[in-house]
Amino acid sequence: MKLVIITSISEFEKEIKQILVKANVKNFSYKDVVGYHNSSGEAIGENWFATEMNENESMLFYAFVPVENVDLIFNAISKFNLQQETISKIHVATINIEKSN
């Protein structure tokens, strides 16, 4: 069992839900969160918002997933990200679960 954590901008909510369903994830949770990006080290011309502190509407998904389903999620997210023309991508990480009750 692994804990899968997914973050993205809110605009990708529907696609993430579809990815999880197609990967046979039966139960998951999600929450609206505020995403933060500190762009103080970027040149003003590269900074879309032209400020140093950027916040945006984001989503945080998490689910306990059987190990055999994790690659399905990662592969689907990689495929989705490759097709995006936006700077923003879906981010995914896993954490091993040693014990659960």
Side-chain angles (χ1 to χ4, degrees):
M1 183 76 59
K2 292 195 180 248
L3 174 60
V4 174
I5 301 169
I6 301 170
T7 62
S8 78
I9 57 174
S10 295
E11 286 82 357
F12 296 154
E13 176 181 351
K14 182 178 97 176
E15 290 83 356
I16 294 171
K17 288 178 181 176
Q18 290 173 347
I19 288 169
L20 292 171
V21 168
K22 287 180 182 177
N24 298 316
V25 177
K26 304 290 185 205
N27 301 300
F28 60 87
S29 300
Y30 67 98
K31 181 165 181 50
D32 292 327
V33 296
V34 175
Y36 169 79
H37 176 74
N38 181 353
S39 57
S40 60
E42 296 176 9
I44 293 293
E46 296 174 10
N47 182 349
W48 178 263
F49 299 100
T51 65
E52 292 182 0
M53 308 285 193
N54 299 308
E55 293 181 353
N56 56 26
E57 295 177 15
S58 299
M59 303 290 301
L60 172 69
F61 287 79
Y62 51 98
F64 293 98
V65 177
V67 174
E68 58 270 13
N69 296 42
V70 171
D71 283 341
L72 296 172
I73 296 169
F74 271 79
N75 291 339
I77 288 174
S78 292
K79 182 178 177 182
F80 177 85
N81 285 340
L82 286 173
Q83 296 172 351
Q84 294 309 301
E85 295 179 8
T86 62
I87 294 172
S88 188
K89 307 289 183 199
I90 297 174
H91 303 278
V92 61
T94 59
I95 299 172
N96 287 326
I97 303 299
E98 296 193 26
K99 269 186 165 181
S100 67
N101 192 353

